[in-house]
Amino acid sequence: MSKGPVIAIAGAGCAGLSLACKLILNKIPFKKLYLIDNRPHKSNDRTWCFWKKHNETLWCEPAISHRWKRMEVVFKKNTLVFDIHPLEYCHIPGSSFYEFCFSFLDGSHNVESINDDILDFISDNGRVCIKCKNQNIIADVVFNSALRLPEKEKGNIWFYQQFLGYFIKFRHGLKTDTARWMDFSVAQGGRPSFVYILPFSADEALVEYTVFTKEKMPKNWFKEKLDNYISANLHVENYEVAGEEFADIPMFSGSWLNPWGNNVHNIGISGGNVRSSTGFAFRHIQRHTDHIIYALRKNKKIKNSVIPKRFRVYDHLLLRLFDKDGNCAPDFFFDLFSKNNFIRLSEFLNNESGVWDELKLMNSVRKWFI
């Protein structure tokens, strides 16, 4: 029988699957690994995008479907275009990531996937009982991305980054080498809003309408906005919707709680591994799972998040700005993008910047916080 602890990963999304694969890739010993989620992940239900250096190879490199070397940010009167070399902007479809990870995990005899609703964790005598709707599972250590408990303190700011994206096919002729990262030409309506376009070919793209909102909006609201954008901005009347993604990311300036004891560790969004001002999570999740592997190997304390605290301060400032003025996003981001080079911005968004560069960034938009 294999040596090591019984490990349970609660939640089989980006964080849970990344950790499960890295446990095996790094030969971390375990007796049993349970991967628990309330549904089988197979559909293309979400998208992960991130920057990386063009010569950098990730453990999940085969799951990357598209890469772009240019990005543009659109405003009502200006369009800023960035050549992002030596970086590339990468897209991983949910379906590709799930297929890659589960195919890899299928080769491990001591990994078991369970589809059930996770209700609670009960710690007792150094072990954890994962209470599910149809069964209980006992583990020595649990990594949790399924249950989220936000810290309720005065001053914390909460938004949802909510979006509806269409994977569309049409006859048009898009620039395939340029990702439209943000289009702020859309009406704001008191909610920071933009459209995101990833061209996969000249006639296929993901077109996504995104808002920062205090209350979740119905899907039909997004559908009307998205249909109008495709018609008015892309000048496309006839198109086929090959798929869609409709979801939200909590943009929370506080911390996520862990009331379950020392043998339960929060990961993913539950661990605070998403930038609360942008929704970027993939690179932060990868760094956190790398930290967990290191901590397990060296018998060190596991941190909930590896995002430095000063970045949480920056994120809080931006959320507070949006909380005060929901129409300011286009002007704010025009200042930010027009006054800074893209490499510096990408390093800041990836938590790779130094304090001096961060001060330069903040100085370029200081009028917004005075």
Side-chain angles (χ1 to χ4, degrees), residues 23 34 82 96 102 123 130 140 150 157 161 166 224 251 280 299-300 309 318 332 340:
L23 287 169
Y34 294 105
F82 303 93
S96 297
F102 281 115
S123 295
I130 302 100
D140 298 303
I157 300 171
Q161 186 187 108
Y166 287 166
E224 180 181 354
M251 316 293 283
F280 280 117
N299 197 26
K300 300 282 188 179
K309 290 183 179 179
L318 185 59
F332 171 83
N340 296 281

Side-chain angles (χ1 to χ4, degrees), residues 39 44-48 98 148 160-166 208-213 215-219 222 244-251 269:
R39 61 189 174 91
N44 196 28
D45 59 349
R46 66 199 62 214
T47 291
W48 292 288
Y98 302 144
R148 299 173 188 167
Y160 294 101
Q161 186 187 108
Q162 193 178 7
F163 50 86
L164 172 64
Y166 287 166
E208 194 159 276
Y209 199 99
T210 302
V211 298
F212 281 42
T213 179
E215 297 180 358
K216 293 183 184 181
M217 306 300 292
K219 188 175 181 179
F222 281 91
E244 64 179 45
E245 56 179 26
F246 180 57
D248 60 83
I249 303 170
M251 316 293 283
I269 292 177

